[in-house]
Amino acid sequence: MQPTYSVEVQDITRRFGQFVAVDHISFQVEDGEIFGFLGANGAGKTTTIRMLCGLLLPTSGQARVEGFDIYTQTHEIKQVIGYMSQKFSLYDDLTVAENLAFYGGIYGLGRAELDKAVQNAMSTIDLSPYMNKLTRDMPVGWKQRLALTCAILHKPRILFLDEPTGGVDPISRREFWNLIYDLADGGTTVFVTTHYMDEAEYCNRLSIMHNGRIIALGSPQALKNEYQKNTIEDVFIHLVKKQIE
Amino acid sequence: MTADIHCDNVAKRYGSVAALDGLDLQVREAEMHGLIGPDGAGKTTLLRILCGLLFADSGRIRLADHDPRTQSRALRAFLGYMPQRFSLYPDLTVTENLRFFADLFQVKPDEREKRLQRLLSFSRLGPFSERKAAALSGGMKQKLALSCTLIHTPRILLLDEPTTGVDPVSRREFWDILAEMRGEGVTILVSTPYMDEAARCDRISFIHKGKVLVTDAPANIPGLYRQQLLEVKTAENVAAARAIQADGGFSSVQVFGDRIHVSAAGDAASMRKRVQACLQQHHISIEEIRPVPATIEDVFVELLR
Amino acid sequence: MNSRIWTILRKETIHIRRDPRSLVIVFLMPIMMILLYGYAITFDIKEIRLGILDQDRTPASHELVHDLTSSNYFIVSGYLQARDEIAEAFLKRRMLAVLVIPPGFSADMGTKAVTEVQVLVDGSNANTATVALNYIKSFFVARSLQMNAEILRSPVNLQPRVWYNPDLKSAHFIVPGLVAVIMMMICALLTSVTVARERESGTMEQILVSPVRSIEIIIGKTLPYVLLALVDAIVVVVFAQMVFGVPFRGDPLWLLGFSLIYVYACLCFGIFISARVATQQIAMMSAMLATMLPSILLSGFIFPILSMPKILQLLSYIVPARYYLVIIRGIMLKGIGPVHLWMPALFLAVFGTLLLMISIRRFKTNLEG
Ligand SMILES: Nc1ncnc2c1ncn2[C@@H]1O[C@H](COP(=O)(O)OP(=O)(O)OP(=O)(O)O)[C@@H](O)[C@H]1O
Ligand SMILES: [Mg+2]
């Protein structure tokens, strides 16, 4: 069967002034896949994700998300995506419950739907000890949990996670990934960036970026075989170091 | 040897929540000491108290014989601190930010040049030296913040999860720099969620619920593990892990990158049989299965259980 | 109501509630400004320090001085003996004006058609000097009329009377204007930072990936402030009334209704600024700049619009305070009702809505600079 694509990127480029942040990249993400979007700092990962979410306009190139064109159908795209930005971007002066209610409301969930969605997420990520605390008073790892929960309340078809586990302890990172697997099992496509290379092993496929270009693409096993390394971390370091020289 | 950082029965509450609850910690001079523990264990609170940004409710604290509460001015002369969220000046360029901090810490010109080169090689920010900090990527901002902290050589360095968002290549080089500073006699206390970073420390303290549960050298940590550990490798680790978990006969099943760690109180041979039977039932073929020594992360998981 | 607008509105209300310090400023700042400006910008000069150089020294000249100083506007701060003392008195700021009654004053009065006295005024503060001169002039006009009438027994008896503000107290005139200026500033400040704040903290990024439309964000962010600003307006008016005793001849409910339209227009002005600005700091400065000076200078608050150059007169048409000034002075001082005020009110409503619509159009739903 021909795979259907959740994300199709054709030759997309983004400049900031003279600087080329994303340099003619192309790739596809299959429906229901966990796609690891790796890369060195400043490689252009966040910029690419922002273009796919309709937050930035490409300088050139074509891309579709869930079949919708990123130039003309941003409103349709916004209905079906979930996004967790790299920088924490929930309201610090709202409590956890208020943040959840706000994002539920923004996506048009009713009270009952919201409760159900929160209950659902809480089976893996238990926010209950912090429910009535101000978000600003939570440890970083817990803020990340809240942000992830807010991003999946409306059951998006594709979830963009920009370093969701930054600053999260190892045990909680596993919980995150359990949740990610549950979502993927339920048919959600997950597009995730991370600098934790053990997490890279959990992805179905990986791309590795450097200086705006994709320098490797394939399943973790295939990449390890290709570069004859034991871990993705070694593959990553090997590839990036080669680029720097 | 006398401790350079000394915490004795330190407590700190936020309202009804005890962030630190009788914490004891000794960090030796010129030691690289790692703080690990779950989110909310009290690591950030501890570091803030040590540098005098917060005051402990009770307990005795000394950094190089200084009380951070009453002698914070004297302390700051030889203390370096990088908070979890370090804010740069977004409208200054990379160079201007670095120069500002070098001036602030009165770094001597010749030393400044040497240090700058070293930091730019780790951060790979050289080509972007004229870019405003606001236009940097998340990881680049973090690396600039680290560079601003390391532009001078303090006697004691406190770092709160310094490498969040930093890519693996830069992360290694950053730890090389830390190791060099430690070699020059700097005492370093660093919290981290990365177990491979913890493994590079001289000693690690494991913090949980505001207390230090264990302090030891990384090499001794696996010895704390009480159970038998099996490492399993399959083509479908996630499905396999779930199947073994569902079996119910094991106390812990964790996916570690491309392998699964299964632990139980029993002996290796019977565990292996049980895992094999379980996976056969689910038609998952095993590529490798063997008993292994515990990693720091395994101990972390066990301590929390 | 659209549930997303409701969601945003509720969140915004929480922000307001959780920030008591800003709330204090919102209520304290207008009160401080009313006090400060109310007392500082007053054109009434009471107790003009008057020096007397009486070279006549007759009962008639004494009577003149007595009449002049019994009006409350003047106090005699000294008697001079010779002309050359005048300059020194001015230099030392002991006197603001000197009345010179020449020798033969009382003799002239009976015989000549014109009796002369001389008034010297310290012109170093032109404003005060003009006011003082006007007082003195009107005193003599009234006095001449009175004397002439006595002599001629003329049937014409001119009795000047000023309407609406019979004592010509400038506070009555200024305080309603102040309300207009202050409300404009506060409202614009309130909304100008709301959008910019979210852009700065990064929370906007998370909203922009959701299907929320600009109109929902803009309206949801403006509405909660309408109530806040209206309460603020009431506090300001009541306070000004208490302190300065400004008369309130019209219907307070109508004033409330029209004020609602005014704060709406002002809040929309703030949102208009916020829609494109990247940082709170710029938003705040723009709001201050764009509201304070025009509201003070071009609204007719201090300088009559009719005496401005043509170009400024035209400019004054887009200053919302201009319209509210007509409304609030009309209701408070003249006691007139909506029949006479619907025009400025309509303009304010249209002005606000127009700005709101432009803001919605201009609002960027992405992060492009
Ligand atoms: N608004 C902007 N103006 C100028 N340059 C920008 C802007 N935003 C991003 N860049 C540059 O584009 C490049 C790519 O940035 P991006 O944030 O996409 O990197 P990233 O791969 O997400 O890195 P990280 O791992 O550090 O998050 C960087 O060099 C960054 O400095
Ligand atoms: Mg990024």
Side-chain angles (χ1 to χ4, degrees), chain A residues 16 19 21 39-48 50 86 162-163 195, chain B residues 128 131 135-140 165:
Chain A
F16 293 104
F19 179 75
N41 294 130
K45 304 180 294 294
T46 300
T47 307
T48 306
R50 283 181 172 161
Q86 180 170 4
D162 198 352
E163 286 186 39
H195 290 300
Chain B
F128 308 104
R131 190 172 291 184
L136 297 176
S137 78
M140 289 157 93

Side-chain angles (χ1 to χ4, degrees), chain A residues 39 50 63 124 143-144 152 163 171-172 196 245:
Chain A
R50 283 181 172 161
T124 9
K143 289 187 183 176
Q144 295 296 97
I152 59 173
E163 286 186 39
I171 296 179
S172 310
Y196 290 91
E245 285 151 16

Side-chain angles (χ1 to χ4, degrees), chain A residues 14 50 53-57 75 78-79 83 85 87 89-91 93-94 98 102-103 105-107 134, chain C residues 4 7-8 11 14-15 18 198 201-203 205-213 365-368:
Chain A
R14 168 70 203 211
R50 283 181 172 161
C53 292
L55 289 172
L56 286 178
L57 288 172
H75 196 70
K78 287 175 181 181
Q79 316 262 6
Y83 171 61
S85 71
K87 180 171 178 281
S89 54
L90 303 183
Y91 297 96
D93 58 338
L94 263 55
E98 285 162 349
F102 175 72
Y103 282 99
I106 284 289
Y107 285 100
L134 283 187
Chain C
R4 276 202 290 254
T7 302
I8 295 174
K11 170 191 76 90
I14 301 177
H15 288 320
R18 295 270 156 82
E198 291 212 31
S201 68
T203 50
E205 181 169 353
Q206 195 67 49
I207 304 186
L208 289 181
V209 293
S210 78
V212 173
R213 293 174 191 276
T365 53
N366 58 33
L367 301 176
E368 295 291 347

